[in-house]
């Protein structure tokens, strides 16, 4: 909802960020950098650090540190978008929009990791690269629609797929959907015997 308002130009994110800096756990520089990122995001999904630094009249290293912190806090993530076979790193600010909704709904978000962001970061490490936009969409669907969490992904990768030499997002999705075989259950007669034995 907030994302759609932003895309339509109805969400005054500058005022919201400045009024809720404490609730969002942002430093003054992080708040300003986030505002500039959102300014640029309307026209270009790429992140150009030099442009943000020049607009803020701030040292590039300080802007890099603020952006790194925002990334660690889950306000944005980076993925690879392919256009005509050419890959380019672009940003997703879904983490920010989730936090806005949390503030509006009076949900405590301080020190709370964003589940989707954590999963994407985990999978970036598993695959040893940044996920593509299509892969991010698959993972987002698995988390939001199918309610899988970070533990589910870790179990799928580290237990179900531990002997595989090649792992892809589609293989992980199949592993998540595959239910473990239930343990062998005693037959009805044996269960009845156990039940009667226990109540004697």
């Amino acid at each position: 909802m907030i994302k759609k308002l932003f895309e339509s130009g109805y969400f005054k994110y500058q005022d919201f960020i400045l009024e809720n800096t404490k609730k969002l756990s942002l430093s003054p520089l992080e708040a300003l950098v986030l505002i500039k990122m959102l300014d640029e995001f309307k026209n270009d999904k790429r992140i150009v650090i030099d442009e943000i630094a020049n607009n803020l009249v701030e040292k590039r290293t300080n802007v890099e540190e603020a952006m790194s912190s925002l990334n660690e806090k889950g306000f944005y993530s980076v993925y690879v978008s392919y256009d005509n076979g050419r890959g380019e790193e672009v940003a997703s600010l879904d983490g920010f929009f989730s936090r806005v909704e949390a503030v509006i709904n009076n949900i405590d978000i301080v020190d709370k990791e964003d589940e989707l962001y954590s999963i994407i970061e985990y999978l970036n490490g598993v695959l040893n690269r940044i996920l593509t936009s299509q892969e991010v969409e698959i993972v987002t669907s698995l988390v939001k629609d199918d309610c899988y969490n970070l533990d589910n992904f870790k179990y799928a990768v580290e237990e179900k797929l531990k002997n595989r030499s090649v792992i892809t997002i589609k293989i992980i999705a199949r592993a998540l959907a595959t239910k473990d075989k239930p343990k062998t259950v005693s037959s009805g007669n044996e269960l009845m015997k156990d039940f009667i034995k226990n109540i004697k």
Side-chain angles (χ1 to χ4, degrees):
M1 179 59 138
I2 299 297
K3 186 177 181 179
K4 287 181 180 177
L5 289 172
F6 168 78
E7 290 170 345
S8 303
Y10 294 113
F11 176 46
K12 293 183 179 179
Y13 56 89
Q14 299 96 331
D15 294 341
F16 182 87
I17 291 170
L18 294 175
E19 289 170 9
N20 294 282
T21 303
K22 189 173 181 181
K23 287 182 180 178
L24 292 167
S25 298
L26 295 171
S27 71
L29 182 57
E30 286 171 354
L32 292 175
V33 168
L34 183 58
I35 288 170
K36 287 300 173 188
M37 286 175 67
L38 286 157
D39 289 344
E40 298 292 328
F41 193 76
K42 288 182 286 187
N43 305 314
D44 191 351
K45 301 286 191 291
R46 294 175 305 147
I47 296 176
V48 183
I49 297 174
D50 289 328
E51 285 183 18
I52 295 172
N54 290 336
N55 287 334
L56 291 175
V57 194
E58 185 65 58
K59 289 181 181 177
R60 191 181 198 278
T61 52
N62 293 342
V63 171
E64 281 180 341
E65 286 177 13
M67 289 182 68
S68 176
S69 177
L70 287 168
N71 182 260
E72 287 172 9
K73 291 177 180 179
F75 281 89
Y76 77 97
S77 58
V78 178
Y79 63 92
V80 179
S81 176
Y82 285 96
D83 186 19
N84 295 325
R86 186 179 169 206
E88 184 176 55
E89 283 191 8
V90 295
S92 167
L93 288 165
D94 288 352
F96 166 68
F97 298 121
S98 296
R99 278 160 174 70
V100 171
E101 291 183 8
V103 169
I104 291 171
N105 293 317
N106 292 318
I107 299 170
D108 184 18
I109 59 169
V110 178
D111 297 327
K112 205 172 187 179
E113 289 186 357
D114 180 72
E115 189 79 8
L116 179 59
Y117 169 78
S118 300
I119 289 168
I120 289 172
E121 287 297 295
Y122 170 71
L123 295 173
N124 285 341
V126 169
L127 301 180
N128 201 26
R129 62 173 172 78
I130 295 172
L131 270 61
T132 65
S133 56
Q134 185 180 14
E135 289 171 331
V136 170
E137 285 177 17
I138 292 170
V139 173
T140 301
S141 175
L142 289 168
V143 174
K144 294 188 175 178
D145 299 335
D146 301 324
C147 299
Y148 289 112
N149 59 29
L150 181 58
D151 289 337
N152 297 142
F153 278 87
K154 285 184 175 179
Y155 180 74
V157 171
E158 295 165 18
E159 295 297 326
K160 293 184 177 181
L161 302 174
K162 62 183 175 184
N163 296 322
R164 288 190 72 105
S165 56
V166 177
I167 296 177
T168 65
I169 294 300
K170 288 183 179 178
I171 289 172
I172 293 171
R174 280 199 296 269
L176 286 167
T178 305
K179 303 290 184 189
D180 287 328
K181 288 183 179 179
K183 293 178 181 177
T184 305
V185 179
S186 303
S187 67
N189 288 337
E190 289 174 343
L191 284 172
M192 184 58 73
K193 286 176 186 174
D194 288 341
F195 174 74
I196 293 169
K197 186 179 179 181
N198 287 331
I199 61 171
K200 282 182 179 179

